[in-house]
Amino acid sequence: MDAQHFERITAFIEARLTPVFDPANGSDHGFGMDDTSRALRALRNAVAAASAVKGLAAQRATADPKLRSVIDQALEHNWDVLRGIARMWEDHPDFLKEFKRHAWDFDLAPAAAGAEGSEG
């Protein structure tokens, strides 16, 4: 698993969420203090937080074994958060099979991760 996996799943989720926030699409949600708007903002914040792993992924290759274990756990947790959100749109034509994969299904070695980008 690498940062590109996170970039793809985040782009997919953001493409589903952005129209909900866009007033040009007639949306009045996301900006108010009603419960729907609050829920949409919370979801968008959760996606942003879970996708902010680029620095962790970059440090993994040079980290000592103890730190690498912690990094792996953080990457796995964040992937699982994004995977759960993305699967709400599992029937969407842009949904990739890799979005269904568990974190442990990915080879965490950086060299192998780039080779499996569209596989899944």
Side-chain angles (χ1 to χ4, degrees), residues 25-64:
N25 293 333
S27 175
D28 58 354
H29 294 300
F31 305 104
M33 293 308 288
D34 59 288
D35 284 345
T36 300
S37 294
R38 291 175 188 197
L40 290 169
R41 286 194 307 273
L43 177 59
R44 181 168 260 176
N45 289 342
V47 170
S51 65
V53 299
K54 197 171 200 170
L56 281 177
Q59 291 178 17
R60 186 187 182 280
T62 58
D64 66 70

Side-chain angles (χ1 to χ4, degrees), residues 65-76:
K66 287 182 182 179
L67 181 56
R68 184 175 297 168
S69 174
V70 173
I71 290 172
D72 288 349
Q73 290 173 10
L75 291 174
E76 290 167 5

